[in-house]
Amino acid sequence: MAEFLDVALRLTIAVVVGGAIGINRDLLNKPAGVRTIGLVSLAAAMLVMALDNYGTTAGVAGEDAVSRVIQGLMTGVGFLGAGVIIRDETNRVRGLTTAAVVWFAAGIGVVCGVGNWPILAVSVFLVFALLLGGGPIERHVHRIFKRTDLDDKPPTAGTV
C-alpha cells in the first residue's frame, strides 16, 4: 500500500504542478495550457517511474535505462515544444516561452518520477517567478533603454 501511495503522490504532484504552470500559459491565451503542460509532466513522470521500477525488479541496468529514457524524453519533448514556435505576420517569433514551458514540464515529470522533492520545490518557485515577473521586468528594461518595439532587433544608435 505504501508503494501505491508513493506512486500516486509522484504522479499527482507532476499533474498538479504541470497544470498550475499551464494555467499561466492558458491565461495568456497561449497554445499550450493546463491540459497540455499537465499531460507532458504526467507522461514524463510515468515513464521514468515505470522504467525505474522495471529496472530494479527485472534486474536490468536501472540507472543506465532511466538515463536513456530521460534523454529521449527531453529530446522528444523539445520537438513537441518546437511545434508552438511560429513567426507571425509581423515577422516576430512567437511561442518560445511556451515551448520552454513544455520542455520544463517534462523536467518536472522527471523530477517527480524520481521523487526529488527539493529540486521540484526550488524549480517550481523559480519558474513561477520567471513567468509572473519576467514580463514586467523585460518591459521595464525596455523602457529604461527607450525600446518600444520589444522585438529581437538590437537598439539603434542613440537609444541606449
Side-chain angles (χ1 to χ4, degrees), residues 37-149:
I37 305 302
L39 283 169
V40 168
S41 183
L42 172 62
M46 176 188 68
L47 292 171
V48 169
M49 289 174 63
L51 195 57
D52 190 36
N53 288 340
Y54 173 75
T56 56
T57 59
V60 297
E63 288 180 15
D64 288 344
V66 172
S67 172
R68 286 190 301 275
V69 166
I70 292 170
Q71 292 170 26
L73 273 169
M74 299 312 289
T75 301
V77 171
F79 281 102
L80 175 67
V84 300
I85 300 172
I86 61 167
R87 189 175 297 269
D88 67 13
E89 61 278 349
T90 65
N91 213 24
R92 291 183 65 189
V93 175
R94 302 252 182 214
L96 289 173
T97 302
T98 300
V101 166
V102 169
W103 193 75
F104 180 80
I108 287 172
V110 169
V111 171
C112 289
V114 298
N116 197 324
W117 306 125
I119 290 176
L120 178 71
V122 173
S123 298
V124 168
F125 170 78
L126 292 173
V127 80
F128 275 111
L130 279 170
L131 291 174
L132 298 175
I137 290 170
E138 286 174 347
R139 285 187 291 280
H140 180 71
V141 168
H142 283 279
R143 277 194 302 274
I144 289 172
F145 292 104
K146 297 179 177 109
R147 294 279 312 275
T148 56
D149 54 348

